[in-house]
Amino acid sequence: MKILLILGLLLCYSFVSSSGDTTIHTNNWAVLVCTSRFWFNYRHMANTLSLYRTVKRLGIPDERIILMLADDMACNARNEYPAQVFNNENHKLNLYGDNVEVDYRGYEVTVENFLRVLTGRHENAVPRSKRLLSDEGSHILLYMTGHGGDEFLKFQDAEELQSHDLADAVKQMKEKRRFKELMIMVDTCQAATLFNQLQSPGVLAIGSSLKGENSYSHHLDSDIGVSVVDRFTYYTLAFFERLNIYDNASLNSLFRSYDPRLLMSTAYYRTDLYQPHLVELWRPFILIQLTKPSQVKSPIVRAIPRCHSINFPSTMQTSQMMS
Amino acid sequence: MDNTDGRNLRSSESWNHAGRPFITTSVLFSFLLGVPFLWKSVEIYRSPLPFHDIDSLSDQIESTPLRFPCNFHAVFVGFRSTDPDNLRSQIQDGINQLTHQNSQCGSCNFSLSVTVQNRDDQCSETLAHSSTTCSYRCGVIKRNVFGVGVDDTVDESLNDVFSGCSEESGKMYSVVVVNKENANGEDEVKAVVGKGRHAWIVGNGLEERYGDMVARVSEIFVKVFMNGGREEDSIQGEFMPVGSDGRIVLSFSLLNSNPRDWVYDWDFQRIDEALLAPVTKALAPIANISVESQVLYHTPKSSFSSWDKKLQSYIFRTSALPFFVNSNEWHLDTSAGASGRSKILQFVVYIPSGKECPLLLQLPNGEISKTNGFISPIWGGVIVWNPGNCDKDSESSSRNTISPQDLEQIVEIFLGQFRQLFGFKSEAFYTSGLGTYKILPSDRGFTEWELDVLSTKHTCFNLHSCSTTLGSLSRLVRSLPRMIIKDEIGEQVKYSLKAAKLAQSNASLGEYSSSASSSREARSLAENAFFHPSIMSVSYFSYEHCFAVYSPFFLPVAGHVVLAALREWKRYKQEKAKYLTWLTRKKTA
């Protein structure tokens, strides 16, 4: 049997990667980690779930998101609204609504498992949905929230992730070419100290506060009884709510949107590990790079699938974040 | 008085001499004796890794890129007065110019031989070396075979001529240039690359423009046989879809986007046995391929299409392609057979719903794509298949099966996409500045020479990846002196190095497929060693931690024992001094 002779010519766009090396950007991943237990840390869970929802809305599918939640707030006995998690006291948006896929839950969220996810050293029996299957063209967003301090992040109230552990894991990821660009976003107290030992190129780090500063929660929901969202995450989400999957935005505009008076801390970002000219350019944020034109080749069109979710009813999104 | 004193003194002294210091020092020495045992018990087991060999392998791969021996043979048929030596040097120059004299990994260490056969079937030749089995028997190629029949018959006959040459060191690639002297004198020159390792150029009056012919011959050798018709690129990871354990899983999915309109099924078993098995077998040295399939329902796409009145169909453009794959509804990654490190390539057949039927892809230049499909590197490919008449009223809601002819067409497009995922073109032409070459497709998906190119490129990539992985592993192990290295890791590193050496030696002998499979093994073993789950730096004590763990046990007790021994030593010295003064006093008294 013969293959059909396939005819036709097409144009070929060339996608020039702006990071200067020869790999092209193939896919986007997100690793979202909430490290706190107990009911009074409700806001950390809400932070992570809000970011999960945003990331899905902007186009990263579940199979490329690793969501680690250290405790279960939705089904907690103290939750007056069972199976619902809110990040705003107007309760307009249920974060735990439909299609939430948690990969590591409860006591599985440990420093060891977290580092295994980053470095890829799992036991053979670990299923694919729990692995970070990125390749050398992946852009990864790593978001961590919880309680932290000077050069550490507390996991589950029992152990700590040190800054050198994180730096070591990132170094190994870079050696094994598991990412093209990595963006680390941390919302804890003294978050910037966690990046002190990072040295691998291609890493962008954003922390919610400097050494000696605390990061605060945004507001208290008197109905639920605890604070429901942190300030840094609140303003980050406010920035993303203005975007949809077709937009381009730059990192600089994200940085500029942080107001230290509203945050009550100084948002810190470390860009020295990027090539310097990049940050000045109008460079799309990694999530929104989904919309760059695909490479088209003859005769079968060649494209990079930027998968995106069904549009959630977006009417409820815009107003409640600003309230 | 004196005596009793002396007796008391003596007895107490004798006790002091022998008793207390003895006890304390014996306790101290027993502690000191135990220290080697303690040291041994906190010693960690580290399997010795051959660091020196790893370093030398990576140095070797960096400095001397791997080159494969190949034999090039050019046959000029119907040429009267050309000198084969001259031709040989010209072709050699042409080849050197095209390869820019650079020796990239996977390039050919070639030896060139030229044969000229004139119209009376007499030959003059220059041979690169005396190769007895591969010498071309003069007169076997007849001019009248060319240009008459279909290209396939020509290909078959050339295959018979050149097929005896596969046992040599390196493969033999042949180009036949046929000069026909037709009365009707068409000026056109046809160049075809066959399914085996041969190509031919046919035309009229070629002798006059033999400079052109020499250039085209060099181009075929370099651009087609050495590079596989791809652009000159370094080893790009986006076209190496083989997983790090050497396996690829081809996952075929049939998506019924709206089962209320129509439901389709396919006889995948037949496709697998008849059409995919030869391809899988042909690629066996490069990857261990397994095939899975599933049928999904209720899978709408998430991009938009518009109705085009002229074409009477729904059009989606290339700008909508990035949003076509709807990962929230398309649960494609459900493979049960793929392990953590295999690569899954998704091939999707999308059947549009009644509201969007027929759905056609419009290319940027305005034409409608004939294949209605697209690929994404490393991920896979999508084909949109429109059911026959798109008439949903007449379709019953029972299951329909895609007809065998349609299925064959779909599989042909799949194979084209599969080729594209490996970096080859899916079209059957190669165009360059000098002209167009027609490429005959093979029913195994890849022709012999394409498989050779794949083998060499993958060997290079795998060896490079293996050496960098092993290098990373050795750096990591050396930076953590207190991490346990299990035997398993040491074994895997050893076997990986052995397989890499085997791949290199096979490559130098010209055994393409065995070097590809050894290099695949080397890479997979190196990755297994690097990703071994026991290498977790957070689990192992540094020296500070070790000290911090053991000091609360031993320091307090050891402190007391040492202090006691020191005190006893001081006291012994004092008592000794006293005894000596008493002795001297007694003597003087």
Side-chain angles (χ1 to χ4, degrees):
Chain A
M1 189 224 73
K2 285 233 204 99
I3 300 176
L4 272 181
L5 297 182
I6 301 173
L7 307 175
L9 290 176
L10 273 186
L11 297 174
C12 182
Y13 295 54
S14 66
F15 181 135
V16 177
S17 157
S18 52
S19 73
D21 61 339
T22 52
T23 51
I24 65 166
H25 170 206
T26 49
N27 49 32
N28 294 329
W29 281 80
V31 179
L32 310 172
V33 184
C34 164
T35 58
S36 317
R37 307 207 114 236
F38 309 129
W39 175 248
F40 52 81
N41 290 322
Y42 184 100
R43 62 188 186 284
H44 297 142
M45 193 77 47
N47 287 348
T48 316
L49 282 172
S50 321
L51 218 77
Y52 171 74
R53 193 190 159 83
T54 300
V55 150
K56 271 181 82 160
R57 187 177 65 87
L58 289 176
I60 303 184
D62 264 322
E63 57 205 25
R64 289 208 276 270
I65 300 178
I66 301 216
L67 179 62
M68 302 172 76
L69 297 180
D71 199 359
D72 184 9
M73 298 305 167
C75 302
N76 195 307
R78 286 167 152 179
N79 191 1
E80 248 198 359
Y81 299 87
Q84 292 170 316
V85 176
F86 304 112
N87 66 352
N88 196 301
E89 58 179 349
N90 57 21
H91 292 190
K92 280 216 185 118
L93 182 59
N94 173 17
L95 298 170
Y96 214 71
D98 31 65
N99 223 355
V100 172
E101 189 182 292
V102 182
D103 298 303
Y104 287 83
R105 62 188 69 233
Y107 288 109
E108 290 174 350
V109 179
T110 59
V111 173
E112 186 186 332
N113 280 346
F114 173 67
L115 292 177
R116 282 188 191 279
V117 165
L118 286 186
T119 53
R121 296 204 170 96
H122 297 275
E123 302 284 333
N124 282 340
V126 170
R128 286 172 71 91
S129 61
K130 280 183 157 177
R131 295 181 188 233
L132 181 64
L133 298 169
S134 57
D135 53 51
E136 57 194 6
S138 302
H139 287 185
I140 305 181
L141 167 70
L142 172 61
Y143 174 80
M144 295 194 283
T145 180
H147 289 289
D150 195 1
E151 305 220 11
F152 71 89
L153 185 74
K154 189 169 75 159
F155 265 67
Q156 300 260 14
D157 218 22
E159 45 180 7
E160 290 170 1
L161 172 76
Q162 308 249 359
S163 62
H164 63 81
D165 287 327
L166 181 64
D168 192 49
V170 171
K171 187 172 87 144
Q172 290 195 35
M173 284 175 84
K174 191 67 189 172
E175 281 226 29
K176 210 60 199 69
R177 299 172 71 150
R178 277 164 72 75
F179 65 90
K180 182 163 176 278
E181 285 171 14
L182 173 66
M183 171 148 152
I184 310 182
M185 223 181 197
V186 176
D187 187 359
T188 67
C189 301
Q190 303 190 56
T193 56
L194 202 63
F195 311 132
N196 280 349
Q197 318 249 5
L198 281 178
Q199 272 159 3
S200 317
V203 177
L204 177 71
I206 304 180
S208 61
S209 50
L210 295 173
K211 175 168 167 146
E213 288 181 352
N214 290 333
S215 295
Y216 296 96
S217 64
H218 190 259
H219 64 267
L220 172 76
D221 181 344
S222 39
D223 209 1
I224 293 184
V226 284
S227 304
V228 286
V229 69
D230 276 334
R231 287 181 178 256
F232 177 74
T233 306
Y234 180 86
Y235 290 108
T236 308
L237 291 171
F239 178 82
F240 285 120
E241 288 299 317
R242 291 195 287 265
L243 304 170
N244 62 33
I245 194 172
Y246 300 97
D247 282 339
N248 275 337
S250 83
L251 281 167
N252 278 335
S253 48
L254 173 65
F255 299 150
R256 278 198 295 269
S257 73
Y258 293 133
D259 183 358
R261 285 167 305 151
L262 292 176
L263 282 180
M264 292 167 67
S265 61
T266 317
Y268 161 83
Y269 50 96
R270 184 177 170 177
T271 53
D272 58 320
L273 298 169
Y274 261 359
Q275 291 162 21
H277 63 274
L278 281 182
V279 182
E280 274 89 309
L281 289 180
W282 184 257
R283 187 178 175 281
F285 182 50
I286 53 172
L287 294 179
I288 316 173
Q289 225 174 15
L290 304 174
T291 63
K292 277 208 172 172
S294 56
Q295 235 171 329
V296 164
K297 240 180 154 210
S298 64
I300 293 179
V301 177
R302 196 179 101 183
I304 298 172
R306 315 298 206 232
C307 316
H308 78 283
S309 61
I310 292 180
N311 289 324
F312 285 101
S314 52
T315 48
M316 51 174 91
Q317 302 268 356
T318 44
S319 53
Q320 43 110 32
M321 284 301 174
M322 297 304 172
S323 63
Chain B
M1 233 5 197
D2 214 358
N3 276 344
T4 53
D5 274 356
R7 228 182 7 256
N8 283 343
L9 209 52
R10 239 179 292 134
S11 61
S12 65
E13 265 193 30
S14 65
W15 194 83
N16 279 340
H17 267 286
R20 284 177 57 169
F22 177 68
I23 291 179
T24 35
T25 47
S26 64
V27 172
L28 180 67
F29 278 132
S30 65
F31 260 68
L32 290 176
L33 271 179
V35 167
F37 288 106
L38 177 66
W39 191 254
K40 190 88 176 105
S41 70
V42 302
E43 191 186 60
I44 48 164
Y45 178 70
R46 279 166 78 90
S47 165
L49 291 185
F51 296 121
H52 181 70
D53 290 337
I54 296 175
D55 290 335
S56 67
L57 175 71
S58 52
D59 286 336
Q60 204 180 22
I61 289 189
E62 293 295 309
S63 59
T64 49
L66 202 60
R67 302 185 76 192
F68 292 78
C70 9
N71 304 310
F72 290 152
H73 187 204
V75 181
F76 289 82
V77 177
F79 283 71
R80 261 169 298 168
S81 54
T82 24
D83 174 26
D85 283 309
N86 195 10
L87 278 175
R88 183 167 177 271
S89 62
Q90 286 197 345
I91 297 178
Q92 194 144 17
D93 287 340
I95 295 180
N96 286 334
Q97 207 178 24
L98 283 173
T99 57
H100 308 293
Q101 296 279 19
N102 67 342
S103 51
Q104 233 184 17
C105 181
S107 57
C108 253
N109 204 0
F110 66 92
S111 59
L112 176 63
S113 57
V114 173
T115 306
V116 178
Q117 174 181 315
N118 65 10
R119 280 202 248 136
D120 308 319
D121 286 345
Q122 286 161 351
C123 291
S124 51
E125 52 198 0
T126 61
L127 291 175
H129 53 86
S130 59
S131 46
T132 48
T133 57
C134 259
S135 54
Y136 165 67
R137 279 179 302 125
C138 208
V140 171
I141 300 182
K142 303 264 183 267
R143 275 189 304 159
N144 52 9
V145 175
F146 293 87
V148 179
V150 187
D151 291 326
D152 281 335
T153 40
V154 178
D155 189 45
E156 291 288 328
S157 59
L158 278 184
N159 213 15
D160 294 332
V161 171
F162 290 118
S163 60
C165 283
S166 49
E167 262 56 59
E168 286 288 309
S169 77
K171 310 294 182 189
M172 165 81 90
Y173 297 98
S174 325
V175 177
V176 180
V177 184
V178 178
N179 183 18
K180 299 172 74 71
E181 304 268 325
N182 268 346
N184 32 352
E186 303 117 16
D187 214 16
E188 129 193 1
V189 175
K190 187 160 88 149
V192 184
V193 180
K195 291 189 266 208
R197 299 187 177 94
H198 47 262
W200 66 92
I201 304 178
V202 184
N204 281 323
L206 295 183
E207 191 146 5
E208 287 77 38
R209 26 194 186 142
Y210 85 106
D212 263 347
M213 289 304 109
V214 161
R216 287 194 86 163
V217 166
S218 320
E219 203 172 56
I220 292 184
F221 279 138
V222 175
K223 296 271 176 64
V224 176
F225 287 145
M226 265 171 66
N227 291 340
R230 332 202 279 196
E231 293 89 29
E232 193 79 50
D233 53 357
S234 58
I235 303 168
Q236 290 269 14
E238 69 191 82
F239 291 120
M240 301 278 173
V242 184
S244 60
D245 59 352
R247 293 183 55 204
I248 306 180
V249 177
L250 301 181
S251 170
F252 290 87
S253 313
L254 178 66
L255 302 188
N256 291 291
S257 101
N258 191 353
R260 265 173 245 152
D261 293 331
W262 40 66
V263 173
Y264 276 89
D265 195 2
W266 58 6
D267 183 6
F268 195 78
Q269 186 87 4
R270 232 185 42 124
I271 305 175
D272 191 16
E273 286 163 7
L275 306 172
L276 293 177
V279 180
T280 311
K281 211 159 85 115
L283 286 179
I286 295 167
N288 182 359
I289 301 180
S290 56
V291 177
E292 299 178 342
S293 75
Q294 61 179 349
V295 182
L296 297 178
Y297 307 93
H298 292 287
T299 51
K301 70 179 190 346
S302 45
S303 65
F304 303 107
S305 61
S306 50
W307 172 254
D308 185 313
K309 217 161 149 82
K310 202 165 55 134
L311 296 162
Q312 286 289 302
S313 48
Y314 290 89
I315 300 290
F316 66 107
R317 296 195 176 72
T318 53
S319 52
L321 286 182
F323 309 99
F324 193 91
V325 179
N326 179 4
S327 276
N328 272 323
E329 304 274 327
W330 297 14
H331 296 289
L332 301 173
D333 199 3
T334 54
S335 168
S339 71
R341 286 208 280 282
S342 322
K343 190 90 200 86
I344 298 189
L345 289 178
Q346 313 277 1
F347 290 103
V348 170
V349 177
Y350 177 78
I351 300 181
S353 63
K355 287 197 294 287
E356 276 190 320
C357 180
L359 188 62
L360 299 177
L361 171 62
Q362 186 179 49
L363 305 170
N365 61 0
E367 285 177 18
I368 296 296
S369 160
K370 290 185 179 50
T371 55
N372 231 11
F374 61 94
I375 67 150
S376 162
I378 309 243
W379 182 81
V382 176
I383 299 174
V384 177
W385 181 76
N386 296 305
N389 43 6
C390 283
D391 189 3
K392 52 177 188 262
D393 299 322
S394 69
E395 299 277 349
S396 61
S397 55
S398 65
R399 300 173 80 92
N400 308 299
T401 312
I402 303 185
S403 67
Q405 298 88 337
D406 287 333
L407 212 48
E408 272 189 21
Q409 275 188 356
I410 292 177
V411 173
E412 283 172 3
I413 305 177
F414 273 146
L415 288 175
Q417 291 183 335
F418 193 48
R419 285 166 56 91
Q420 273 194 304
L421 288 169
F422 274 97
F424 291 111
K425 294 196 179 12
S426 56
E427 49 194 357
F429 290 92
Y430 173 67
T431 317
S432 74
L434 297 174
T436 309
Y437 303 88
K438 179 173 164 195
I439 300 184
L440 292 185
S442 146
D443 52 356
R444 291 187 306 166
F446 297 91
T447 57
E448 299 268 347
W449 53 271
E450 283 174 340
L451 286 175
D452 291 341
V453 172
L454 271 184
S455 301
T456 54
K457 291 273 187 286
H458 277 81
T459 304
C460 284
F461 179 76
N462 289 340
L463 281 177
H464 179 75
S465 163
C466 169
S467 82
T468 47
T469 305
L470 288 177
S472 304
L473 179 65
S474 79
R475 277 194 293 277
L476 175 64
V477 163
R478 283 191 276 211
S479 72
L480 291 171
R482 287 199 59 78
M483 183 169 76
I484 296 179
I485 311 289
K486 293 199 172 156
D487 272 334
E488 207 180 3
I489 301 177
E491 301 255 319
Q492 284 172 339
V493 170
K494 204 173 66 165
Y495 288 136
S496 171
L497 286 171
K498 216 162 74 157
K501 280 197 181 42
L502 184 63
Q504 283 177 316
S505 68
N506 278 340
S508 59
L509 289 176
E511 304 281 327
Y512 293 169
S513 42
S514 51
S515 73
S517 45
S518 319
S519 69
R520 179 163 60 103
E521 204 186 305
R523 177 179 174 222
S524 121
L525 285 168
E527 300 264 333
N528 281 347
F530 187 85
F531 284 112
H532 197 270
S534 69
I535 305 180
M536 284 298 294
S537 60
V538 74
S539 313
Y540 298 106
F541 297 142
S542 57
Y543 283 115
E544 293 95 3
H545 282 224
C546 197
F547 179 73
V549 165
Y550 288 108
S551 59
F553 293 119
F554 296 113
L555 265 187
V557 181
H560 280 295
V561 169
V562 167
L563 280 177
L566 283 176
R567 229 178 314 129
E568 279 313 310
W569 178 249
K570 253 187 7 196
R571 190 189 163 144
Y572 171 76
K573 284 176 73 162
Q574 274 178 356
E575 293 294 329
K576 183 96 185 245
K578 269 206 271 186
Y579 176 63
L580 285 174
T581 50
W582 178 81
L583 268 182
T584 47
R585 242 192 301 137
K586 199 172 164 206
K587 278 209 187 98
T588 53

